[in-house]
Amino acid sequence: SEVYAVVTPNLARRDVAPRDSIARAGPRDWWSHVRKMRYEGFWEGTMPSQRVLHWLQYAFQSKPLPELDAVQDAIRSLQRADKPDLAAKWLRKASDLRLHAQASLFRSVIMQCCASKLDTVAEDMLETMVSIGLTPTSDIYRALCTSKAILNKEAEVEHCLSLLEDREKDLAPFCLMSCNHAEEGNHRNAEAWLERAHGASLEPDLQCYNKVLAAHVRSPKGCATKWQLPKFRAAAACRCLQQMQRKAVQPDSVSYRHVIRGLARAGESRTSIDYMEAMMQRKLAPDLQS
């Protein structure tokens, strides 16, 4: 069976594994294995994640406990292996044993969990971070808020936004929530989220409005080949185009294309032609899809 050990970066030797393992291996073989682990990339994060997990399991059963630097390196190794859920698990376990990691490690694990749509894991890590006296930075709350918006958890997005000042917020969750409502056919809520973004001085841009327009005229989920679109969805796209013009955001050919196609699919051919004429008056060339 393998023997697990750790050495600090300055090569100080310290026993952190079960003593019976040392007795079986013998001192010489023990430190030979330690050197082998170091050469195989424990500190650089190139060791296979399964071996890192074995090391963590043995290390946390030992007395005395492993040094904090070693634990943090092992957790970073799991992050590099793209296993944020395992990194979060062992970071929480280290905190339970009063091995309090640096705020920067908590931040990187939370951000990686948010990017992997592990919003509940990220939220648990945020609570752990606060419980040991660390102060989360605003970018952690922003990342968690965006992750909740991607998963369309509106109440939790509202909660995350309440923890941020207007100057600390970003546009992403507002745009995502507007798209979510537009896709569901809730045009009032879609407009309201864009208005809230303007109210927070975030100023939704052309790219944001085009995403919302696309969501308004998108086929219902599971019906990607369905051509017909309800008239109220096409009307909502028209209102969204008018909203962006009121906010001094000039539509481009993509904006008009979404509206024109939406109207055509809703059977509003006359109105779609009117929008195409307006598009050409702005010297925007319609494409084949329009």
Side-chain angles (χ1 to χ4, degrees):
S1 61
E2 290 188 344
V3 177
Y4 294 91
V6 65
V7 291
T8 56
N10 61 5
L11 296 180
R13 298 180 176 185
R14 183 179 179 187
D15 158 27
V16 295
R19 290 186 177 277
D20 57 348
S21 298
I22 299 176
R24 289 198 304 271
R28 181 175 298 177
D29 292 340
W30 171 262
W31 291 111
S32 173
H33 185 75
V34 169
R35 286 192 296 273
K36 183 180 178 183
M37 286 182 71
R38 189 178 180 87
Y39 294 149
E40 287 182 3
F42 180 81
W43 299 107
E44 293 77 17
T46 56
M47 180 176 289
S49 58
Q50 195 60 39
R51 292 194 64 193
V52 175
L53 288 172
H54 287 166
W55 180 86
L56 284 165
Q57 289 165 0
Y58 275 89
F60 278 102
Q61 293 170 5
S62 67
K63 292 184 179 179
L65 289 171
E67 292 183 355
L68 177 58
D69 286 343
V71 174
Q72 292 186 138
D73 279 330
I75 291 170
R76 291 189 185 100
S77 207
L78 292 174
Q79 283 187 275
R80 294 187 188 97
D82 197 24
K83 297 184 181 297
D85 51 337
L86 292 176
K89 171 187 172 181
W90 287 100
L91 183 54
R92 191 183 304 110
K93 188 165 289 191
S95 299
D96 292 342
L97 295 174
R98 300 183 184 278
L99 290 171
H100 298 329
Q102 299 171 354
S104 59
L105 181 57
F106 272 97
R107 177 187 175 278
S108 65
V109 171
I110 292 171
M111 299 291 261
Q112 191 175 20
C113 287
C114 289
S116 302
K117 299 182 181 180
L118 299 171
D119 62 307
T120 53
V121 177
E123 209 163 19
D124 289 343
M125 292 309 305
L126 183 61
E127 291 176 3
T128 302
M129 186 179 183
V130 172
S131 69
I132 63 175
L134 298 175
T135 303
T137 54
S138 58
D139 61 340
I140 291 177
Y141 287 112
R142 283 196 297 269
L144 185 58
C145 189
T146 301
S147 179
K148 299 286 188 186
I150 290 171
L151 297 170
N152 199 13
K153 297 181 178 181
E154 187 167 14
E156 295 176 33
V157 172
E158 295 278 14
H159 174 68
C160 291
L161 289 174
S162 70
L163 301 173
L164 292 166
E165 300 288 340
D166 278 353
R167 59 183 174 81
E168 295 173 332
K169 297 172 184 175
D170 65 359
L171 182 59
F174 293 90
C175 182
L176 286 165
M177 288 309 305
S178 183
C179 287
N180 292 337
H181 283 296
E183 194 166 354
E184 292 169 357
N186 301 324
H187 63 90
R188 294 184 186 278
N189 289 339
E191 291 174 16
W193 274 98
L194 291 175
E195 288 291 346
R196 287 180 61 181
H198 283 289
S201 301
L202 295 173
E203 306 304 332
D205 55 9
L206 177 64
Q207 184 180 15
C208 173
Y209 273 105
N210 281 347
K211 287 179 181 178
V212 177
L213 283 168
H216 275 301
V217 299
R218 188 172 296 135
S219 298
K221 290 183 178 178
C223 303
T225 60
K226 187 176 180 180
W227 167 256
Q228 190 174 3
L229 188 74
K231 290 187 177 183
F232 77 91
R233 297 282 297 269
C238 294
R239 282 194 294 272
C240 184
L241 187 71
Q242 293 163 7
Q243 182 185 23
M244 68 187 292
Q245 290 173 321
R246 287 197 308 272
K247 300 297 183 181
V249 180
Q250 296 303 316
D252 63 359
S253 58
V254 175
S255 313
Y256 277 102
R257 183 181 71 197
H258 290 315
V259 174
I260 292 167
R261 294 191 73 224
L263 288 166
R265 290 169 58 197
E268 300 286 347
S269 55
R270 181 63 258 177
T271 311
S272 66
I273 292 171
D274 291 341
Y275 272 95
M276 183 172 289
E277 289 174 353
M279 178 182 181
M280 297 177 72
Q281 286 174 5
R282 290 175 174 270
K283 297 183 179 180
L284 297 171
D287 58 11
L288 184 59
Q289 288 184 322
S290 301

